[in-house]
Amino acid sequence: GTGTGTVAANLLYFYQFSRLAKVDAVAIEVTTLSAGNVRGAIYTMHPTTGLPHLLIEEGTAQSTGTTGIKAITFAAARWVDRPVYIATNFSATPTCRIGTVQIGPSLGMNVLNSSAPYNRLTAPFTYGALPADVSSLTFTAANGTYMSALRLTA
């Protein structure tokens, strides 16, 4: 990835992901620590609005109190076969890598390309277990600010 950006606490971040892939985690790269935690999940895309909708799976929360790649792992690897949203929620304000993170020659993390109409949606949400349905939240769109991804697996 290129560049970094600071995330806000108590905000849900959503990024589109659209490709056939087997994934096992939501991942971010913390470049400047901030004592706290990050939660991550994947959500369906609403069939009418195209906005985030229903929780598919929430991974295991990770600490943002150290730097490096944080893999918020799912119970098991799963196939993603339709457009989804990657969600993250922070209890603190670390600085994270912007852009796609690559791990090794074959395992990587990937997000929808920047030709999408927007790259990020945010909604106020106090840090905690992620909601089963986010369709009632008010979203704000922003361009060019990828910070989380799905970790691809074999």
Side-chain angles (χ1 to χ4, degrees), residues 11-133:
L11 198 63
L12 267 173
Y13 291 87
F14 291 95
Y15 302 86
Q16 291 180 349
F17 180 88
S18 184
R19 69 180 275 194
L20 177 64
K22 191 174 184 183
V23 301
D24 69 355
V26 172
I28 59 154
E29 183 181 355
V30 174
T31 57
T32 304
L33 64 85
S34 182
N37 294 295
V38 58
R39 291 177 177 268
I42 48 177
Y43 280 85
T44 62
M45 182 179 288
H46 194 283
T48 305
T49 65
L51 294 171
H53 189 207
L54 301 175
L55 178 67
I56 296 171
E57 184 171 0
E58 181 174 351
T60 304
Q62 297 293 313
S63 170
T64 57
T66 58
T67 59
I69 294 172
K70 309 299 177 177
I72 305 159
T73 54
F74 301 137
R78 62 167 53 246
W79 283 99
V80 174
D81 62 356
R82 60 187 51 102
V84 296
Y85 280 93
I86 306 164
T88 49
N89 180 227
F90 296 82
S91 68
T93 55
T95 300
C96 296
R97 179 81 55 211
I98 293 173
T100 300
V101 180
Q102 181 71 38
I103 304 175
S106 60
L107 295 182
M109 303 172 194
N110 225 328
V111 290
L112 195 68
N113 67 43
S114 59
S115 64
Y118 48 78
N119 292 348
R120 181 185 75 183
L121 292 169
T122 57
F125 184 77
T126 302
Y127 179 82
L130 300 182
D133 183 343

